[in-house]
Amino acid sequence: MMQIIRHMVQSDRLLLETTSGRIMLVPYSNKIIRIRYTLEAEFSTQESLMITGLPDSKISFTVEDLQSHLVFSTPELTIRILKKTGAFTYLDASGAVLTKEPDRRGKTLVAMDVTKSVFDESANIEAGQGADGLRVRADNVRKVIDRKAFHTKLEFEWMEDEALYGLGSHEEGVMNLRGTHQYLYQQNMKAVVPVLVSTRGYGIVVDSYTMMTFRDDAFGSYIWTEVDDEMDYYFIHGPEMDSIVHGIRELTGKAPMLPKWSFGYIQSKERYTSQEELIAVVREYRERGLPLDCIVLDWKSWTGELWGQKTLDPERFPDPKAMVEELHGMNARLMVSIWPIMNPQSDNNKEMNENGCLLGNQATYDAFQEKGRQLYWKQANEGLFVHGIDAWWCDCTEPFEADWHGSIKLEPEQRMQINTEEAKLYLDPEFINAYSLLHSKGIYEGQRQTTESKRVVNLTRSAYAGQHRYGTVTWSGDIAANWETLRKQIPAGLNFCATGSPYWTVDIGAFFVQNKPDLWFWNGDYDTGIQDMGYRELYARWFQYGSFLPMFRSHGTDTPREVWRFGETGEPVYDAIVKFLRLRYELMPYIYSLSAHVHHDDYTFMRALSFDFRHDPNTYNIGDQFMFGPAFLVNPVTEPMYYTSNSDVLEGVKKTRDVYLPAGTAWYDFWTNRIFEGRRMIEAEAPLDRIPLYVKAGSIVPMSGSIQFAEQRTDDNRHIRVYTGQHGTFDYYEDEGDNYNYEKGAYALIPMVWDEENRTFIIKERQGTYPGMRANQSFNLTFFGVKDGGGSLKEAEKTTQIHYKGNYIEIRLKDL
């Protein structure tokens, strides 16, 4: 039993001496408190890999010594500590309980031995080809005890009415984590971020990099870590979700801006094989008038079997510089995949080996070494970046796996065991979850030191808290083409973004399309790919969903993915895909403004409904609807309505889906402008060419006209939609579209306000400037929801055009 023996109040912390170790509480802000617990004489001095924020020395706190409790308080957050057991209760400034630990005890450390691998002459290195590329592993590895550490266990008594989100992106697709459990280790289709957020208005960031377990089931309610020097976590009070995310990024760093082009459409497949093919595909998009911003060069771009070599095969890519220049001439960018594992026969591997920068399998580079990261960037720069490529696809950034083979998917406990044991052969068991974090750091720092003219874009399969500060976008891994997977992707992405990591995406249409019974993961439903009308329908729905993700990208194997592979003009699937491709580009001013909001204000693009409707508990368990920014309620279709596999026609299926409209606002049907009140379930029309899409009253949505690439500028296609019925604001953002000049203030904001009370639209004075800014702009304004004589909103609309020169303008609706 832990008992508080004495406490010591210092200028910046509270120290607790207990019968079972020492506890430290440090306020980082009025809303953030760091809690550490150790059984050692001193707290660890090890530098955090995820936390960059420092405590604010100006924060005042008080410690009250009561008979049974200590009460530690900042102006906005209180922790009540039970003297008899050391159990914590967390309260807001009004005294309302946010959450608590069990009174009997909340924190446990259990001593354990940490082993490390010894790669001597007895170790046997074997290379092989897996579904996921080259794999090189060591057998007969000797293990020795390296040091002492601890298992940690942090217990909670969560409230009956609260929902929990976070922990990253996991294939199971659970929305509300209550009543579930999750194993937290990096793997294909598992991207871990050790952050929880609660609808009761708090968040928890666990500063640990080992394998973890989250439980809220019959075995208890807790977070367990396998190997740590001490327990170390942060408690954040919001209470709103955006405030919690702001706190997470105060601790882990801001998300830098991605280039404007990265929010356009990215075309990928496994795989484009030559310079000619890449150029021909982009040319086809341009000739067809289909918007596109980037094409992707996937694996095997190297010579022969030199897996992971960061140079292009000179036979298939004879002039990389000319290739990139031709792509740029068509206003398209190039993303190239690179790998942390390198064939031992490759020059890159040999150079890594000579510098002592390989892990024990003699094939994967050691991202934990600074000189390893610097050498990796040097190779990527000299072999690829010098040719002008624009973005990285850092594949396989959880570089060790052991179960991507065989016809049977192992039990979760078996998968956790064999995959983490494989990782622990080569990595310190305390840090097996951190490889991608360090790998991403090396790419970001290397590119930024090389040039400031091109923003870092790194599409990567793994994640961790703090990784977002390195310009990363995480995708959900090698998923399979079936409706169940599509349904599960939506909550997976929402939980990922709830952790403060803003950029997430999927393989539109799924990676594996066919079914191969001898491989458990190759379990798509469509053996004939695009020839199957069932797959075309699924792809169209996936594409519609993907058009409202932070990154809009198609990719996969088994079948082509270019838009024209799904039909021609006048055919329903093709028309449905093109409609949403064009809509994505029409929304580019809105989307790019939101990306600035993400950077400057720690905003979240893709939002679980409780971000905006925390006080409507009906939203807590909804995992197939989300907000895309402040305006759009997105409701993907996740059931077939027209075909099953093998092009079999479905009969008698309704072309609708149920949609919950959250409370506290009116909603506009984006397609019809019909107005609905909130706090109600409706049956929404969902034919093939649209998904139910609603706009919140009070929204201001800047849009463009028809453009072919994100940075295309025309003089007459600026539109602003104002959805009346509620007060609203929006900051329209513009900058150069690429480079890091925005960090020096080179950008412009145009604040816009809808004043509902006076039925007046206000465009305020422009703030800031940037090279190439157009001082004079024309905006076509459309107002939805004109009131009738009785004061009710109607579906009518009014339009006008204004010329804006950076000056203050008011438009009264009654004057139009």
Side-chain angles (χ1 to χ4, degrees):
M1 178 76 71
M2 178 191 291
Q3 189 170 350
I4 306 295
I5 300 171
R6 60 179 173 272
H7 70 278
M8 292 152 282
V9 180
Q10 299 179 356
S11 61
D12 62 343
R13 68 194 60 193
L14 170 63
L15 286 172
L16 305 176
E17 295 283 354
T18 83
T19 53
S20 181
R22 310 172 78 213
I23 299 174
M24 180 193 299
L25 291 82
V26 179
Y28 271 52
S29 73
N30 285 334
K31 292 187 168 193
I32 304 173
I33 297 174
R34 181 185 186 185
I35 296 122
R36 303 171 73 185
Y37 171 40
T38 185
L39 296 183
E40 303 290 355
E42 301 293 335
F43 289 94
S44 172
T45 58
Q46 185 168 282
E47 188 176 348
S48 174
L49 301 179
M50 73 167 72
I51 304 295
T52 56
L54 298 171
D56 184 344
S57 59
K58 299 187 294 294
I59 298 300
S60 63
F61 66 94
T62 61
V63 178
E64 198 175 356
D65 188 356
L66 303 178
Q67 184 175 350
S68 61
H69 295 82
L70 294 172
V71 181
F72 176 96
S73 296
T74 72
E76 297 197 45
L77 183 56
T78 291
I79 299 179
R80 196 167 62 213
I81 305 163
L82 195 58
K83 290 181 178 179
K84 187 186 295 186
T85 65
F88 284 19
T89 298
Y90 305 84
L91 309 99
D92 66 17
S94 71
V97 173
L98 298 168
T99 190
K100 67 185 295 290
E101 298 168 2
D103 285 346
R104 55 178 168 72
R105 181 175 184 143
K107 304 174 184 68
T108 306
L109 299 179
V110 178
M112 48 91 68
D113 292 328
V114 183
T115 61
K116 70 176 182 180
S117 298
V118 177
F119 296 90
D120 53 25
E121 63 280 355
S122 64
N124 179 41
I125 306 293
E126 291 185 1
Q129 192 77 11
D132 217 6
L134 177 70
R135 292 291 174 180
V136 182
R137 71 181 312 272
D139 284 322
N140 200 31
V141 178
R142 192 161 54 87
K143 294 274 191 174
V144 297
I145 294 175
D146 183 52
R147 64 188 186 278
K148 297 282 188 182
F150 301 93
H151 305 305
T152 84
K153 187 175 186 179
L154 178 61
E155 298 181 69
F156 291 94
E157 289 182 357
W158 287 305
M159 304 293 177
E160 188 175 334
D161 62 346
E162 76 179 299
L164 293 174
Y165 309 112
L167 302 184
S169 169
H170 299 270
E171 64 176 301
E172 297 82 13
V174 174
M175 186 65 218
N176 180 358
L177 299 169
R178 294 301 308 279
T180 69
H181 73 271
Q182 184 62 261
Y183 299 117
L184 303 180
Y185 62 94
Q186 307 286 14
Q187 196 47 239
N188 195 337
M189 302 192 291
K190 286 180 77 67
V192 175
V193 187
V195 173
L196 281 175
V197 298
S198 167
T199 53
R200 288 192 64 85
Y202 66 88
I204 297 165
V205 178
V206 181
D207 193 351
S208 174
Y209 312 89
T210 187
M211 199 282 286
M212 302 182 217
T213 300
F214 163 84
R215 283 197 180 275
D216 182 32
D217 57 18
F219 292 94
S221 299
Y222 59 84
I223 301 165
W224 180 88
T225 76
E226 186 178 40
V227 185
D228 272 309
D229 296 342
E230 63 188 23
M231 181 181 289
D232 191 355
Y233 67 99
Y234 296 78
F235 190 91
I236 303 170
H237 179 231
E240 299 307 324
M241 296 291 195
D242 283 315
S243 297
I244 298 169
V245 168
H246 175 73
I248 294 166
R249 296 204 202 138
E250 272 189 70
L251 293 172
T252 60
K254 280 200 170 289
M257 288 198 68
L258 302 181
K260 191 172 186 179
W261 67 259
S262 68
F263 298 101
Y265 178 57
I266 298 174
Q267 180 64 68
S268 181
K269 72 170 185 178
E270 191 203 47
R271 61 193 170 85
Y272 298 113
T273 60
S274 68
Q275 181 168 332
E276 291 78 11
E277 188 180 11
L278 283 170
I279 291 168
V281 169
V282 173
R283 188 177 294 122
E284 179 105 2
Y285 269 93
R286 293 292 176 246
E287 289 173 354
R288 287 174 174 262
L290 297 171
L292 175 74
D293 266 278
C294 180
I295 192 161
V296 181
L297 181 55
D298 198 355
W299 61 4
K300 299 187 182 179
S301 57
W302 44 78
T303 300
E305 298 303 314
L306 298 180
W307 193 282
Q309 173 75 12
K310 293 177 284 297
T311 53
L312 300 181
D313 178 2
E315 290 189 13
R316 293 178 292 123
F317 305 93
D319 194 341
K321 193 171 191 300
M323 173 181 72
V324 174
E325 286 176 355
E326 188 165 357
L327 292 173
H328 288 176
M330 291 186 285
N331 297 294
R333 266 61 175 203
L334 178 64
M335 176 185 286
V336 178
S337 82
I338 54 176
W339 299 68
I341 188 166
M342 290 159 262
N343 186 313
Q345 304 305 312
S346 68
D347 291 342
N348 283 178
N349 180 291
K350 291 171 183 175
E351 187 179 22
M352 283 284 179
N353 199 15
E354 289 166 4
N355 285 274
C357 295
L358 292 175
L359 294 171
N361 66 350
Q362 297 301 298
T364 304
Y365 95 100
D366 187 355
F368 290 88
Q369 286 191 59
E370 185 172 357
K371 72 172 182 176
R373 297 193 298 272
Q374 290 175 346
L375 179 55
Y376 191 89
W377 168 255
K378 172 182 167 289
Q379 294 174 348
N381 182 36
E382 292 176 353
L384 296 169
F385 194 62
V386 291
H387 300 306
I389 74 153
D390 304 282
W392 307 103
W393 179 4
C394 288
D395 208 338
C396 206
T397 46
E398 60 304 279
F400 304 109
E401 53 87 355
D403 73 331
W404 270 60
H405 52 77
S407 61
I408 303 298
K409 187 175 185 177
L410 298 177
E411 289 300 298
E413 290 75 16
Q414 293 175 297
R415 298 191 69 201
M416 177 268 293
Q417 180 72 22
I418 67 170
N419 282 310
T420 56
E421 287 303 315
E422 183 71 13
K424 285 185 283 188
L425 274 177
Y426 314 105
L427 302 176
D428 187 315
E430 192 169 342
F431 296 99
I432 62 169
N433 276 335
Y435 189 93
S436 180
L437 176 63
L438 275 300
H439 184 40
S440 302
K441 174 184 169 78
I443 295 293
Y444 182 79
E445 292 179 347
Q447 183 174 320
R448 289 217 59 174
Q449 287 164 8
T450 303
T451 179
E452 291 281 288
S453 66
K454 190 175 283 191
R455 295 177 194 166
V456 178
V457 179
N458 177 0
L459 177 65
T460 185
R461 200 172 66 190
S462 193
Y464 217 62
Q467 186 173 293
H468 62 266
R469 64 179 178 257
Y470 301 130
T472 57
V473 182
T474 298
W475 97 97
S476 60
D478 296 342
I479 52 179
N482 53 64
W483 289 93
E484 180 185 10
T485 299
L486 173 56
R487 283 192 291 276
K488 289 179 175 180
Q489 290 294 286
I490 303 169
L494 293 174
N495 273 297
F496 183 88
C497 293
T499 66
S501 304
Y503 292 114
W504 182 89
T505 189
V506 298
D507 290 349
I508 289 175
F511 185 75
F512 298 113
V513 176
Q514 298 174 2
N515 188 286
K516 296 190 176 181
D518 56 332
L519 294 171
W520 63 263
F521 46 83
W522 212 307
N523 64 331
D525 285 346
Y526 307 96
D527 285 342
T528 58
I530 56 170
Q531 304 307 316
D532 191 327
M533 292 304 297
Y535 181 64
R536 291 193 181 198
E537 180 187 353
L538 174 66
Y539 187 88
R541 295 307 197 185
W542 219 308
F543 197 92
Q544 291 166 343
Y545 163 55
S547 65
F548 291 97
L549 295 181
M551 179 174 272
F552 180 31
R553 162 187 163 275
S554 174
H555 179 65
T557 191
D558 296 336
T559 198
R561 305 300 172 106
E562 297 83 16
V563 170
W564 56 87
R565 309 291 188 182
F566 294 87
E568 293 290 344
T569 302
E571 296 179 19
V573 172
Y574 178 86
D575 287 350
I577 291 171
V578 171
K579 179 177 180 177
F580 277 80
L581 177 61
R582 297 198 191 286
L583 176 59
R584 172 74 173 204
Y585 279 80
E586 289 169 6
L587 291 174
M588 193 58 65
Y590 172 79
I591 292 168
Y592 195 56
S593 295
L594 291 184
S595 77
H597 199 12
V598 167
H599 169 71
H600 291 285
D601 308 309
D602 301 320
Y603 189 67
T604 299
F605 250 115
M606 194 168 76
R607 307 163 66 79
L609 296 185
S610 53
F611 266 74
D612 297 286
F613 308 100
R614 188 171 66 89
H615 298 292
D616 182 356
N618 294 322
T619 65
Y620 289 2
N621 295 306
I622 294 176
D624 61 352
Q625 302 177 220
F626 60 94
M627 293 297 293
F628 186 62
F632 290 97
L633 176 65
V634 182
N635 310 280
V637 172
T638 61
E639 302 280 352
M641 295 177 178
Y642 297 86
Y643 300 95
T644 62
S645 56
N646 301 313
S647 301
D648 289 342
V649 176
L650 284 168
E651 302 286 354
V653 178
K654 282 186 175 182
K655 310 302 188 281
T656 62
R657 69 148 283 177
D658 290 339
V659 171
Y660 179 71
L661 299 176
T665 184
W667 295 93
Y668 290 78
D669 184 321
F670 178 78
W671 309 110
T672 67
N673 303 326
R674 186 181 170 194
I675 301 165
F676 299 83
E677 287 304 314
R679 198 187 287 274
R680 59 182 293 200
M681 187 74 74
I682 64 170
E683 186 177 350
E685 294 295 319
L688 184 63
D689 71 336
R690 70 178 193 242
I691 58 172
L693 185 63
Y694 293 86
V695 185
K696 187 163 75 75
S699 295
I700 300 168
V701 182
M703 298 177 69
S704 78
S706 177
I707 56 175
Q708 296 298 300
F709 54 95
E711 292 186 3
Q712 184 176 353
R713 296 173 68 165
T714 58
D715 293 327
D716 58 352
N717 67 351
R718 304 286 180 107
H719 302 269
I720 298 171
R721 294 184 174 206
V722 181
Y723 292 86
T724 71
Q726 197 165 292
H727 185 82
T729 63
F730 192 86
D731 288 338
Y732 188 0
Y733 175 92
E734 294 180 311
D735 66 11
E736 294 170 87
D738 210 340
N739 75 41
Y740 287 95
N741 290 341
Y742 71 87
E743 294 181 344
K744 306 178 186 107
Y747 60 88
L749 282 177
I750 304 175
M752 299 179 179
V753 177
W754 169 250
D755 179 348
E756 176 67 21
E757 184 178 354
N758 295 304
R759 305 288 285 171
T760 299
F761 182 61
I762 301 164
I763 302 183
K764 296 184 179 180
E765 291 183 0
R766 182 191 289 118
Q767 301 170 7
T769 186
Y770 63 92
M773 185 186 81
R774 286 181 293 187
N776 303 328
Q777 300 182 43
S778 294
F779 292 120
N780 300 304
L781 304 182
T782 305
F783 297 88
F784 297 93
V786 177
K787 286 189 174 179
D788 64 12
S792 298
L793 287 178
K794 296 296 182 184
E795 295 163 31
E797 60 185 69
K798 288 188 176 181
T799 62
T800 190
Q801 186 179 66
I802 61 166
H803 300 287
Y804 179 70
K805 300 179 180 180
N807 52 310
Y808 182 96
I809 299 176
E810 282 190 8
I811 299 99
R812 293 182 180 275
L813 205 53
K814 68 179 182 180
D815 296 336
L816 298 182

